[in-house]
């Protein structure tokens, strides 16, 4: 009967995974429609200069409201979009909309920079650099006010072709950031070779910064590495003033997180900018820090 029980468990497990892959197929199929049927939306999360407390710009974050399934998060649908091939269309939508909004944001803050997430698979899309040039020209947005965020895994996957593709983007004049730093596998030599303008520390190392000596070591080391490479550091996931103060101490220049603001709809972000008074960034470090 023990054996039978195990068999039951396996059957349940299979049903579960069948249901999961069924859901993946459903999501993949619906994503194609999502673009045409206007179910996508961009949210914007402010990035703050930790030295002055001023707005530097924002990160554009994709949102999807499925008519039957409701809100589906990008952590769920982006990997499905990547494996089902619909990611290129999604990114083209994000880039076009992102640059349109950036034109509006720049009317209020001329130095405003917009960061846009790009997947590894997008680097193989030859239409994408063309779209960038077209959109930037059409809207009079300067290329160096747009930052492409690439994940470490993205830069490793296609390592040979990536340098060539990134050179295309450099020629256009957009900036490059390495996203989720510390969660991938790229070597330091590799990092320096690709010449990123910005290194983004993943929020998993920032959320508990005041209480984790381990995370402090990682953040401090990342800031030191970035400095050596001539890149700026952005920390995401800042939720409290202590984390802000610690990152500041390590020389991290830019912060992003719920402490400043959650990602906002475009109209709310515009309002947020209009009412903005520089953030108080003069907090003392009270936590016990690693040396
Ligand atoms: P990411 O690029 O690392 O974006 C940062 C994520 O951290 C966002 O989650 C943001 O809402 C969240 N976050 C920021 N500050 C805080 C904080 O203080 N506390 C907490 N708990 N979370 C914070 P989101 O919007 O759910 O996006 C998740 C991931 O989905 C992104 O991670 C990115 O990898 C991907 N993604 C989002 N939009 C796009 C897109 O347009 N294209 C692509 N390719 N990927 C995207
Ligand atoms: Mg990002
Ligand atoms: Mg990130
Ligand atoms: Mg992240």
């Amino acid at each position: 009967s023990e054996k039978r029980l195990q068999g039951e468990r396996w059957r349940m497990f299979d049903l579960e995974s069948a249901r999961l892959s069924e859901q993946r197929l459903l999501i993949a199929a619906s994503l194609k429609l999502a673009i045409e049927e206007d179910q996508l939306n961009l949210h914007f999360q402010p990035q703050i200069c930790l030295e002055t407390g001023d707005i530097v710009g924002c990160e554009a974050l994709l949102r999807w409201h499925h008519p039957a399934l409701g809100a589906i998060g990008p952590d769920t649908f982006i990997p499905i979009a990547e494996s089902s091939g619909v990611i290129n269309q999604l990114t083209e939508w994000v880039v076009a909309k992102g640059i349109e909004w950036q034109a509006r944001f720049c009317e209020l803050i001329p130095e405003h920079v917009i960061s846009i997430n790009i997947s590894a698979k997008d680097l193989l899309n030859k239409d994408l650099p063309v779209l960038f040039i077209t959109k930037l020209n059409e809207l009079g947005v300067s290329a160096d006010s747009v930052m492409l965020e690439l994940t470490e895994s993205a830069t490793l996957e296609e390592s040979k072709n990536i340098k060539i593709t990134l050179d295309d983007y450099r020629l256009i004049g957009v900036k490059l950031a390495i996203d989720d730093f510390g969660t991938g596998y790229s070597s330091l030599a590799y990092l320096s070779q690709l010449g990123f303008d910005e290194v983004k520390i993943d929020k998993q190392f920032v959320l508990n910064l005041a209480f984790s000596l381990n995370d402090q070591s990682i953040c401090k080391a990342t800031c030191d590495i970035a400095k050596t490479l001539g890149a700026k550091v952005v920390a995401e996931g800042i939720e409290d003033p202590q984390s802000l103060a610690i990152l500041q101490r390590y020389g991290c220049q830019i912060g992003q997180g719920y402490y400043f603001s959650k990602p906002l709809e475009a109209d709310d972000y515009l309002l947020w900018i209009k009412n903005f008074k520089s953030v108080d960034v003069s907090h003392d470090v009270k936590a016990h820090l690693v040396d």
Side-chain angles (χ1 to χ4, degrees), residues 34-280:
I35 304 175
E36 293 156 32
E37 300 193 343
D38 209 24
Q39 297 164 10
L40 299 175
N41 199 10
L42 276 186
H43 280 197
F44 304 93
Q45 188 176 34
Q47 296 185 339
I48 303 295
C49 174
L50 298 185
E51 286 150 9
T52 64
D54 289 329
I55 305 177
V56 174
C58 69
E59 177 175 11
L61 293 158
L62 191 54
R63 297 292 178 258
W64 178 26
H65 192 93
H66 187 282
L69 301 174
I72 304 173
D75 279 331
T76 303
F77 70 78
I78 292 290
I80 297 173
E82 286 171 341
S83 60
S84 69
V86 79
I87 189 67
N88 289 352
Q89 277 166 276
L90 271 191
T91 304
E92 286 171 13
W93 186 90
V94 170
V95 167
K97 288 286 177 224
I99 294 175
E100 282 168 24
W101 280 113
Q102 169 65 354
R104 295 283 305 279
F105 302 150
C106 284
E107 288 170 12
L108 295 171
I109 304 173
E111 325 75 59
H112 189 279
V113 173
I114 190 168
S115 294
I116 296 176
N117 292 285
I118 301 289
S119 290
K121 299 228 154 51
D122 293 320
L123 293 178
L124 302 173
N125 178 6
K126 294 292 172 209
D127 294 336
L128 195 59
V130 181
L131 177 66
F132 267 101
I133 296 170
T134 311
K135 272 289 170 184
L136 291 168
N137 280 334
E138 177 191 321
L139 291 147
V141 169
S142 75
D144 66 0
S145 77
V146 176
M147 176 86 66
L148 305 193
E149 295 193 2
L150 301 152
T151 53
E152 278 186 272
S153 48
T155 57
L156 259 179
E157 204 167 281
E158 298 284 338
S159 54
K160 284 191 199 99
N161 303 320
I162 269 182
K163 184 149 172 46
I164 301 165
T165 317
L166 290 186
D167 285 344
D168 284 349
Y169 285 103
R170 288 222 166 279
L171 273 176
I172 295 172
V174 296
K175 305 264 181 192
L176 303 174
I178 187 149
D179 203 356
D180 300 340
F181 187 76
T183 65
Y185 304 92
S186 47
S187 70
L188 293 179
Y190 198 72
L191 245 184
S192 71
Q193 196 191 330
L194 291 178
F196 287 95
D197 302 282
E198 234 177 56
V199 173
K200 286 194 87 175
I201 308 180
D202 193 70
K203 62 174 179 281
Q204 77 176 86
F205 305 115
V206 177
L207 290 171
N208 297 305
L209 197 54
F211 310 102
S212 165
L213 299 185
N214 229 353
D215 291 347
Q216 288 170 16
S217 301
I218 290 168
C219 287
K220 187 171 185 293
T222 305
C223 290
D224 292 343
I225 290 164
K227 198 176 197 178
T228 311
L229 299 177
K232 282 193 175 176
V233 184
V234 183
E236 66 179 32
I238 299 181
E239 294 192 350
D240 62 90
Q242 270 305 290
S243 305
L244 190 167
I246 295 167
L247 287 158
Q248 209 178 34
R249 170 84 64 91
Y250 295 154
C252 171
Q253 294 98 337
I254 300 170
Q256 179 183 342
Y258 295 172
Y259 180 63
F260 307 115
S261 171
K262 293 200 170 184
L264 302 168
E265 290 206 41
D267 287 336
D268 293 333
Y269 181 60
L270 280 167
L271 257 181
W272 196 87
I273 294 179
K274 279 180 188 149
N275 297 324
F276 183 79
K277 297 194 185 59
S278 70
V279 181
D280 178 10

